[in-house]
Amino acid sequence: MQLSGWGRYPRAECRLLRPRALDDVSALVGQTPLIARGNGRAYGDAALGAPETLAMGQFNRMLAFDEASGILTAQAGVQLAEVIDVFLPRGWFPAVTPGTKFVTIGGAIAADVHGKNHHKDGSFSTCVEWIDLAGPDGTVRRASKAENPELFAWTCGGMGLTGVILRAAIRLRRVESGWIRQRSHPAPGLRSAMALFEENHAATYSVAWIDCLAGGQSLGRSLVMTGEHAEAGELTPRESADRFVRQGKRAKAVPFDFPQIALNPLSVRAFNELYYGVGAWNRGEGLIDYDSYFYPLDALLEWNRIYGRRGFAQFQCVIPLAAAEAGVAALLRRIASSGQGSFLAVLKRMGPQESRFSFPMEGYTLALDFPVKDASAALFTELERIVIDHGGRFYLAKDAFLSPEALRAADRRTGQFTAMRAASGSAGRFVSALSERLEL
Amino acid sequence: MTQTILILGARSDIGLAVAHAFAAKGWAVQLAARDAVALSAEQADIAVRFNVPVTLHELDALDLAAHERFIAALPVLPDVAVTAIGLMGEQAENEADPAKAVTVLRSNFEGPANLFAILANCMIVRGSGTLVGISSVAGIRGRAANYVYGSAKAGFTAFLSGLRNRLAKGKTGVHVVTVLPGFVNTRMTAGMDLPRKLTAEPKELGQAVWSAVEKGRDVIYVRPIWRLVMLIIRHIPEAVFKKLSI
């Protein structure tokens, strides 16, 4: 069947393997090269098999929960949305969450996703206690910081290429409510946006929406949004009545593919003007529910359809701190002049992170999406050049365009990753469209 | 007092969805299936998600002689019992090998009917209870594509309606709900190309069963549109029907 990632580009003819039981996965691993797929929320080709694709989303059983430590043991197909549904009413929340709650735990580990608290709490791997992984010979091994630490380190951020994640134990964080105390700070340009991030380093969550069509004086115009989990005493009667936001808002679905013309420089520019204007008007503090704060796009199911039939591509890079301002400014100038920028552009300060093959490093990450057009590949190549020249690297969970050469130029760890794959025998066993494209 | 639901055929996606719907309301759950120990992940899952007690019970739907003992051995006679026992089989195999067809007939009709017959008598003694039979729209009219399965479900549907009639007339306090799910997105239908508007998610079905039990409904379709679809199918003259491939 034809599968794609969340960006709906590229699409590939895959064979979906649906084992009946989790214990059957080991036997499958020996039979054919494959890649595990969770809920298909990686944007590009990370979870497309070549062609065998192992459907892991069906393995969504929660196995144990320790009320004292907040450690949840679960099969890899459990989604963060389910974790929140079950545990937020009991006062727990994922310690790290990306911008969608529809990711599986297995996918979150494989991509070592990050959230709005990366500067403070690090990536998803920091809340992973252990992983059960079916390796190249089908044997299931437990990996943690103490047990098989090498395997653990390569698997977090390993894009599923070290084995199939079967189960994991993750640590949740205690919260007193499902509400977020949000403060928004308008920043008229890139420098002031970055200054705001540095000033607000102590905030638990921080992220900026950035207007990637603004140029000149307004280059990098942003709304920096910081957030804290609201404590029970900080809620007004309105929120107290629904302390854990149990009445989730009804999600709406995008009913059809938008024609590509719907997103054009004019409509995006108009949206950006409005968004910045309203944001600047609403500056200051307010309480919003966790869904609106962390997952604004999840409220619009299948929002990927607004980019039309051809799909879209995400571009996400991180530039190290010292070169961040120059690098991000160069990227924004290039994007503004292309007129292709989208209204979903995000800037975020990342904290330090040591890892084998994970994306994050200390610096600034910029994420935007582009409708896939004939011109996209050329623009992407130029953006890649800018990132490489500033010492940055790329987020493979979002990527669909990178070349093996660009990956290696950006990330010296790639050679060690492929050497590990060859030595462990996972190279021939765990194969995705991404690993084929990038020669991993 | 905590109420208890028994799921017969608890390995099925439909059985589990019903278990989830009731556990979400605080009900204790009994999961019964063949090789029940292999359901320990499902047991843990329901217990973790809903903070309710969940027990596993070994059951072979085809081993009729063991059914009395199975029910007597339950820690408590459930308030609601649901059978999601079902075996679709491959129609082509059922045609070529009558023994396979008989297994399909027994799994969908004989086994569930025997279990409900015993449970009904126990519930009558107690004076309360609800039996929920997951039957099928395939039982409304036999079609070339799956008439072995369909005929067994037709038998089970008739059994449920007769049992309901008997229990209602006798003012026993025991009620029977017949569920005709239509298409449901489960492992049984994985790989089939099903029309989206007619296909329910298991979760929807679980909710539908919950509210049918709450309201004491007799026969439910999960998606209302099926009532219309089956009304039409019921009224196609046989001379025409026999030539159709639907």
Side-chain angles (χ1 to χ4, degrees):
Chain A
M1 69 190 297
Q2 206 176 54
L3 288 181
S4 67
W6 184 240
R8 308 209 297 160
Y9 177 89
R11 298 170 199 218
E13 202 51 50
C14 296
R15 190 154 43 240
L16 207 56
L17 308 174
R18 293 178 178 277
R20 269 192 83 84
L22 198 55
D23 292 339
D24 299 342
V25 169
S26 286
L28 276 173
V29 167
Q31 286 168 21
T32 168
L34 51 77
I35 193 74
R37 178 180 174 95
N39 198 31
R41 289 295 164 130
Y43 285 63
D45 50 4
L48 302 183
E52 267 78 13
T53 312
L54 181 59
M56 292 296 291
Q58 55 177 325
F59 299 118
N60 66 341
R61 311 287 186 246
M62 297 185 182
L63 302 172
F65 183 67
D66 180 0
E67 290 280 353
S69 62
I71 291 172
L72 168 68
T73 306
Q75 293 177 345
V78 168
Q79 295 179 20
L80 291 189
E82 299 174 86
V83 174
I84 295 168
D85 279 351
V86 172
F87 293 104
L88 180 55
R90 301 187 211 170
W92 299 94
F93 197 76
V96 170
T97 174
T100 173
K101 61 182 175 179
F102 299 122
V103 287
T104 60
I105 290 174
I109 294 170
D112 197 11
V113 298
H114 55 272
K116 297 173 179 177
N117 55 344
H118 185 273
H119 63 285
K120 213 173 171 188
D121 300 319
S123 64
F124 196 80
S125 59
T126 59
C127 72
V128 179
E129 292 289 312
W130 53 258
I131 301 164
D132 275 349
L133 189 82
D137 58 355
T139 308
V140 179
R141 286 185 191 81
R142 181 153 298 186
S144 68
K145 288 186 184 84
E147 192 176 352
N148 295 313
E150 282 290 300
L151 185 61
F152 181 79
W154 284 118
T155 298
C156 296
M159 303 308 291
L161 299 170
T162 62
V164 178
I165 299 169
L166 303 177
R167 282 172 290 265
I170 61 168
R171 199 164 11 81
L172 308 182
R173 76 157 66 217
R174 265 256 171 244
V175 294
E176 288 192 19
S177 80
W179 296 86
I180 302 293
R181 206 151 37 76
Q182 176 184 248
R183 179 177 277 278
S184 82
H185 321 251
L190 182 61
R191 180 162 295 178
S192 54
M194 288 184 164
L196 278 165
F197 273 113
E198 302 304 327
E199 278 166 35
N200 287 288
H201 212 72
T204 303
Y205 299 107
S206 64
V207 69
W209 165 85
I210 186 164
D211 181 352
C212 55
L213 288 180
Q217 289 291 312
S218 302
L219 186 82
R221 175 170 77 160
S222 306
L223 289 173
V224 179
M225 288 171 272
T226 55
E228 302 293 339
H229 288 283
E231 290 167 21
E234 295 169 336
L235 303 178
T236 68
R238 177 180 76 101
E239 292 92 20
S240 292
D242 190 13
R243 185 168 148 197
F244 290 109
V245 196
R246 303 197 68 152
Q247 300 301 334
K249 282 186 294 195
R250 267 184 83 91
K252 294 192 169 45
V254 173
F256 57 87
D257 296 341
F258 277 39
Q260 196 147 43
I261 191 75
L263 283 188
N264 58 54
L266 276 178
S267 68
V268 173
R269 196 177 296 276
F271 173 87
N272 284 359
E273 287 298 333
L274 194 68
Y275 195 87
Y276 184 81
V278 170
W281 178 261
N282 285 335
R283 66 172 69 198
E285 205 168 274
L287 281 169
I288 66 171
D289 66 274
Y290 75 91
D291 248 338
S292 310
Y293 185 76
F294 290 104
Y295 316 113
L297 287 170
D298 284 348
L300 203 58
L301 298 175
E302 300 186 26
W303 62 265
N304 49 352
R305 301 180 76 172
I306 65 175
Y307 285 95
R309 224 172 266 281
R310 290 182 69 180
F312 70 104
Q314 263 260 346
F315 181 86
Q316 184 167 358
C317 63
V318 56
I319 311 265
L321 208 49
E325 192 181 333
V328 172
L331 288 167
L332 289 173
R333 273 194 296 273
R334 183 63 197 87
I335 293 159
S337 71
S338 79
Q340 284 193 42
S342 69
F343 59 104
L344 305 168
V346 167
L347 181 71
K348 153 111 199 100
R349 169 76 151 89
M350 289 191 139
Q353 179 171 345
E354 289 299 322
S355 61
R356 290 298 161 78
F357 202 53
S358 294
F359 164 67
M361 66 160 116
E362 181 158 36
Y364 278 84
T365 178
L366 180 68
L368 353 94
D369 29 51
F370 300 89
V372 170
K373 291 181 189 164
D374 300 326
S376 318
L379 174 65
F380 272 45
T381 310
E382 284 185 58
L383 298 179
E384 283 163 16
R385 193 70 253 158
I386 296 171
V387 172
I388 293 165
D389 289 346
H390 289 85
R393 64 186 180 221
F394 306 98
Y395 193 11
L396 297 184
K398 302 254 178 112
D399 170 57
F401 279 96
L402 209 59
S403 67
E405 295 74 30
L407 173 66
R408 281 158 181 80
D411 197 338
R412 293 217 187 81
R413 304 172 304 172
T414 309
Q416 290 146 30
F417 187 73
T418 52
M420 173 280 297
R421 291 248 297 152
S424 67
S426 51
R429 289 274 183 243
F430 305 109
V431 177
S432 60
L434 177 137
S435 77
E436 298 274 89
R437 172 170 59 86
L438 295 174
E439 298 171 11
L440 290 173
Chain B
M1 206 184 90
T2 307
Q3 292 182 288
T4 302
I5 185 166
L6 165 66
I7 310 287
L8 303 159
R11 189 166 279 107
S12 76
D13 293 332
I14 286 178
L16 286 170
V18 175
H20 277 228
F22 281 75
K25 306 288 184 184
W27 286 48
V29 178
Q30 301 170 340
L31 299 177
R34 207 164 38 189
D35 190 18
V37 285
L39 286 175
S40 60
E42 282 69 22
Q43 178 187 27
D45 185 52
I46 296 170
V48 169
R49 282 177 196 253
F50 306 109
N51 259 333
V52 295
V54 184
T55 50
L56 298 182
H57 307 279
E58 187 65 31
L59 168 67
D60 181 350
L62 297 180
D63 186 1
L64 305 184
H67 288 177
E68 291 263 12
R69 244 177 301 128
F70 158 77
I71 288 160
L74 291 173
V76 50
L77 182 66
D79 300 276
V80 173
V82 178
T83 168
I85 296 166
L87 174 68
M88 179 97 70
E90 287 287 331
Q91 174 65 23
E93 285 182 16
N94 293 340
E95 288 168 18
D97 182 354
K100 284 210 164 116
V102 167
T103 307
V104 170
L105 294 174
R106 295 190 59 211
S107 305
N108 291 299
F109 184 15
E110 193 183 56
N114 191 54
L115 285 159
F116 269 17
I118 301 165
L119 278 163
N121 291 343
C122 296
M123 287 178 171
I124 290 168
V125 171
R126 185 179 59 190
S128 70
T130 303
L131 296 165
V132 181
I134 312 286
S135 195
S136 172
V137 294
I140 288 177
R141 228 167 159 175
R143 298 182 298 122
N146 66 359
Y147 66 85
V148 176
Y149 173 78
S151 62
K153 288 295 195 183
F156 189 50
T157 302
F159 178 87
L160 292 170
S161 113
L163 182 62
R164 176 165 46 242
N165 186 200
R166 170 190 151 205
L167 296 173
K169 270 200 327 180
K171 296 192 168 58
T172 57
V174 184
H175 181 57
V176 178
V177 180
T178 305
V179 183
L180 304 172
F183 299 138
V184 185
N185 184 17
T186 63
R187 267 187 323 230
M188 198 193 250
T189 58
M192 295 185 192
D193 191 18
L194 301 177
R196 249 170 109 166
K197 288 225 181 310
L198 295 178
T199 307
E201 289 302 317
K203 195 170 178 174
E204 247 176 287
L205 188 145
Q207 287 305 322
V209 169
W210 165 260
S211 65
V213 169
E214 275 291 284
K215 293 175 189 153
R217 302 276 302 275
D218 297 323
V219 181
I220 63 159
Y221 292 84
V222 175
R223 293 212 163 174
I225 187 165
W226 277 98
R227 204 171 276 282
L228 179 65
V229 173
M230 294 329 294
L231 184 76
I232 295 165
I233 288 183
R234 251 189 252 268
H235 287 90
I236 301 172
E238 189 63 22
V240 177
F241 190 82
K242 72 178 182 189
K243 292 182 186 143
L244 298 179
S245 42
I246 52 173

